[in-house]
Amino acid sequence: MSQYAAELCTLLVEDNFGELCARIFSTLQRHERLSFPRLKFHSGLTDRQLRHGLVAMIQQHLIYHFTSFQDGITYYEANPQAAYYLVRSGKILQLVEDRLGEYAARVMEFIIYLGHTSVRQLESLPELKTIEGEEPELPNGVTHEGDDENLEGAEEEGREVRQTNGAENEDHYLQTNGDHIPEAKPAPFHATLKALASHGYILEVKEAHFQSPDDRLLDAKREVSGKSDIKTLKGKKQEESINVEAQKLVSKRTKSDLSEKYLVNGLPRGAKRKFGSAHGPKDDSHASHNRIIGDHADDKDNEWSDDEDGFDNIPMDARLIVRVNYSKLDVALRNVRFLQLAEQDAPPATAEVYETFLRRTEYTTTHCRDSVEIPREGEENPLYSNPVEVMKIVQDLDPELDLSGAFGPVSPPKSVNHRGKRPLENGINGDADDESDDEGDSNSQFKRMNQVNQHLSLLSQAPHKLITPSRNDGVKWVVDFRSLACKLRHLELERMIESRYGDVALRVVRVLHAKGKLDEKRLGEISLLPIKDLRQTLASMQKGGFVDLQEVPKDSQRQPSKTIYLWYYDPDRVCSSILEDTYRAMSRTLQRIKFEREKRKDFLEKTERSDVKGNEEHYLTEQELALLQRWKDIEALLLTEVSRLDDMVAVFRDY
Amino acid sequence: MAAAESRVAKLASKLYDACADNHDPDTLLYQHDLIDLGVLPSDDIALLLQCTQSLVDQKLFRLHQGQGRIGWKLIPREDAEKLQSLNADEALVYNVIHSTGRSGVWVRAIQQRTNLHKSILDRALKSLDNRNYIKSIHNVKYPSRRMYMLSGLVPYEDVSGGAWFTDGVLDANFINSLAGFIEYTVSRKSWYEVPATDRGRSAKRVKTATGKAEVNGEPPTKTYLPYPSNYKGYPTVKAITDAVNSSGITPVQLFEDRIMQLLDMLCFDKKLVALDNGQCYKSVKNPEAIKAAQSRKPPVEGVEPEPLLGRNGMTESPCGPCPNFKLCSPGAAISPETCEYFDPWIEQVLGF
């Protein structure tokens, strides 16, 4: 854990849970593992304060605790991962809302808010009883004691300001949602929770989750080594079998996947729903189409009631304790990034096919990568998604999606006058036989498979190679997660290089990355740049830490004139330093928010007064309302910036 | 005596003509080659020596020493006239420069070989240069050296740096315009342009099926579609080379290896992608987008051009480009509280 990451985590804890928690958290980060008396000594807090804070933070999984059987002492340890994920909660809610609807997002919000919770408790929350209930009032941001909707709410707001696309989507969604459900009715709580569970977005909390990974493993080892059959082994063999058995035990104890239980034919519940919402905003013609064709629209309405008839009537076990499954959500968020790559170049229909494809892979992918550490480039094992058959994608795709007309003809077009004479031959449909009768043939499964295959092959092409044909046969495709994650990393680095040093630098870096170490002259020859520009660029990039210079002396005297100087670019090294910078920038931005809030403290306290809050229009003057609006804008902007920086952290660290 | 001399002169001129007729101007002629011509009445070595000496004096023969023997090379008559007009020093310098051929020679090297005083050498070089017998060239490897070569010759590539160099410096304009041309040419072959007649008919479909740039569907914008994956029409290196050479934008003929170099550069710029191990190339952007990007070129001062790769958190945040980012911490001289970049940034983004 680096200094800046630790600083950021403390800030996040403070922002969400107040100073008391932040103090305990930072003490634990500084001194690592502490028993209660030691913790009391280092933090300078009273027993009562400490117990109060620890309970709250254990509830949020911010602190691991472990009671040793040998001495009976409980040790506490900070959980920086959980603290960091506080910043991603807004993004997670957005994702859940896009996929499963507004109500699911609300359920998710409460799960995040409560840290972990039993199904019974969730069910009893009045806010989750009805579907129409108003959004919970968002506080204006002065109080920061224990309310994390503050962060999320503002973040979502911020996203609307910035990414107009996303906002549009959302608006549209809400609108359609409103159309379908005009009056309040009992919320499909269990169905929604099952949908969340089957997507893998939530997991079952086990006791082992409260222990740090190291404790978990040590404890398991201790238990395993007590077994009689292991005791009979000796030396290395014993050690090995202890390790293996302990790993097994750990994975058994942390086995918390809920998704398998609720998958129906390999598809999570509620997954189909995405057709209605995902397609609607993108293309109006589709939406209107849906309405015209009666049965399709009905389908959509009945989606939930269908479920309720059968399986979903059985409520989930009320004693089940659930929490958010961050590693699965990282997979989903990473897929969103992949999709963005596809959307850059590929036509929308192709992107749609890709989205459907990724959705299929998401159900079977539980985590982004195997290793815990950030892997070094080129040294990690490839990791592929489960192969997905084209047929499955055809089934999942919106049957109304127009797949034809996205490609040119296979043979290069003839000369201009020829085309002028016979325009029909070069129609925009992929194949000549595609041309014949669009409408009549569109339901032919085989043809549709062909079309999907064409879209997939377009995606598999350079430069991104977003998918790869499975080695066994041509009808299955896989995603090469590691190389794509690597591409995302490079893209982020290149964006920074472009903005700092210009496109010349970009070319130089790419040459260095492709060719390895090069001297100045050869570098100039390949990149076709004047030596003067090249030197300037290299020097400024070296200063910024993006490229490095290696000296290779020809003799033992190490004279500069007899030394070869080689430039190189080490993405791993640059990545890790940028990651630190990103943590740092996030901390500074959060500190700036604190400062901005401090500047307006008196005014904001007024708006937070219990009589003013909720009746701002009534009690505040126009000027004050404008001031309040501006404060909200600034906070949203800064929080959005933090969340954008978090996108980068995700790429460098988590994907 | 005079009669003998005129006889020698006549024989010599006959010998010269015979040589010119029977041998390539560049071959080195030895004694037996000359005798074999049969111009001389007998195998009179002394006479041969007199003839060659007279030809050398007239600058029609140039003396060479090779493999321990003496040999001669022909000098064309027009060159000989040139040479005859030179004085001794100039001729000396001229010969040195001539001997280095297409690689050119450094002034200091001439000085060493001729042993002339610097001022005399300079005068000789100047006079030769004025008469347009020699020219000064730039060597890419040693840009600061003054080098000369005969005016009629073209320098070697390792001297001139190849096609990309003009006067010894990398010609960035030439490279960029050529790269732009290649990108556009490749792009024309990598994207299918929907014929105008089709466009009207299938306007609705096109809307859903094409990239964002063309969605507006106004008449002047052209619509482009990607080709399916089994399309074989992506241009090869040879096709691109031919297109470049026939376009007339290069003053010199460019060969495939040069074009390859340029294509590699374009690949590093992520403008093109190589397919089938560099057999053929495909452009990333469609012709319309390339045209737009190229016409947008002239950078306006003060206005930051939109980055091609898009932005990310670090490039947007005021911390990203901050020069004192590493020094910044709460409570220090540079701190998030006293930061002077945040306020202007907030103003700019919120548009107040």
Side-chain angles (χ1 to χ4, degrees), chain A residues 15 138-144 147-155 597 635 639:
Chain A
D15 202 46
L138 298 178
N140 292 333
V142 181
T143 56
H144 31 94
D147 53 2
D148 55 346
E149 296 111 303
N150 168 10
L151 185 73
E152 284 138 27
E155 239 172 57
R597 189 180 286 144
E635 193 190 27
L639 284 172

Side-chain angles (χ1 to χ4, degrees), chain A residues 371-401:
Chain A
S371 59
V372 180
E373 293 91 40
I374 301 168
R376 280 186 64 80
E377 207 139 295
E379 287 177 18
E380 50 182 333
N381 302 326
L383 181 67
Y384 294 99
S385 68
N386 279 8
V388 177
E389 289 105 4
V390 177
M391 206 50 227
K392 291 254 171 71
I393 297 172
V394 173
Q395 286 164 7
D396 286 3
L397 270 178
D398 181 359
E400 298 301 314
L401 180 70

Side-chain angles (χ1 to χ4, degrees), chain A residues 426 492 495 584 630 644, chain B residues 192 309 312 316 326 352:
Chain A
N426 286 331
E492 295 292 350
R495 278 176 177 165
R584 207 171 171 168
R630 187 180 155 86
R644 297 269 297 163
Chain B
Y192 175 67
L309 297 172
N312 64 17
E316 291 161 346
K326 301 257 186 241
F352 281 113

Side-chain angles (χ1 to χ4, degrees), chain B residues 276-289:
Chain B
D276 302 338
N277 286 329
Q279 288 296 305
C280 44
Y281 288 84
K282 175 193 173 185
S283 85
V284 174
K285 285 190 274 184
N286 65 40
E288 197 74 22

Side-chain angles (χ1 to χ4, degrees), chain A residues 423-424 427-428 435, chain B residues 196-205:
Chain A
L424 276 179
I428 53 167
E435 188 82 9
Chain B
T197 44
D198 265 18
R199 220 176 301 140
R201 183 163 63 82
S202 58
K204 206 173 164 192
R205 253 193 296 163

Side-chain angles (χ1 to χ4, degrees), chain A residues 446-576:
Chain A
F446 181 70
K447 216 180 108 187
R448 204 151 166 84
M449 251 177 82
N450 261 344
Q451 287 169 339
V452 169
N453 238 339
Q454 274 195 351
H455 282 278
L456 291 175
S457 358
L458 182 72
L459 287 166
S460 69
Q461 276 180 8
H464 292 311
K465 297 194 173 140
L466 291 160
I467 59 172
T468 328
S470 171
R471 256 165 278 170
N472 306 334
D473 42 40
V475 276
K476 286 183 184 174
W477 298 79
V478 295
V479 182
D480 181 0
F481 284 131
R482 296 324 305 158
S483 80
L484 273 183
C486 192
K487 281 209 176 85
L488 279 181
R489 248 194 326 261
H490 284 231
L491 181 66
E492 295 292 350
L493 288 182
E494 284 176 0
R495 278 176 177 165
M496 289 190 66
I497 292 169
E498 188 192 17
S499 93
R500 286 196 194 171
Y501 310 108
D503 48 358
V504 170
L506 217 50
R507 192 192 296 168
V508 173
V509 162
R510 282 178 189 147
V511 170
L512 282 175
H513 188 234
K515 308 272 179 195
K517 294 180 177 174
L518 286 177
D519 71 338
E520 203 170 61
K521 205 175 130 226
R522 188 82 190 101
L523 186 54
E525 275 169 27
I526 298 176
S527 58
L528 285 177
L529 289 170
I531 213 84
K532 207 177 125 211
D533 293 8
L534 186 65
R535 279 190 190 143
Q536 269 175 6
T537 312
L538 283 169
S540 58
M541 277 204 287
Q542 193 198 16
K543 214 174 136 203
F546 284 88
V547 294
D548 289 294
L549 196 59
Q550 182 177 6
E551 296 175 16
V552 184
K554 283 184 195 162
D555 56 12
S556 56
Q557 305 299 311
R558 296 190 160 261
Q559 284 174 25
S561 60
K562 283 189 182 165
T563 304
I564 307 170
Y565 293 92
L566 298 174
W567 290 99
Y568 67 98
Y569 168 68
D570 181 357
D572 289 319
R573 193 165 142 178
V574 178
C575 269
S576 65

Side-chain angles (χ1 to χ4, degrees), chain A residues 100 192-205 254-270 311 316 320 322-323 325 327-329 359-367:
Chain A
L100 299 170
T192 308
L193 205 59
K194 275 178 186 166
L196 283 173
S198 57
H199 273 89
Y201 295 159
I202 53 177
L203 52 77
E204 184 185 350
V205 180
T254 52
K255 190 176 178 301
S256 50
D257 188 34
L258 288 171
S259 57
E260 265 170 43
K261 234 193 272 181
Y262 297 103
L263 285 179
V264 181
N265 304 328
L267 273 180
R269 344 210 84 241
F311 196 72
M316 281 177 88
L320 188 71
V322 292
R323 65 176 262 208
N325 185 1
S327 70
K328 180 74 176 195
L329 281 156
R359 199 64 67 82
R360 269 278 175 180
T361 67
E362 185 193 308
Y363 305 142
T364 51
T365 315
T366 55
H367 49 276

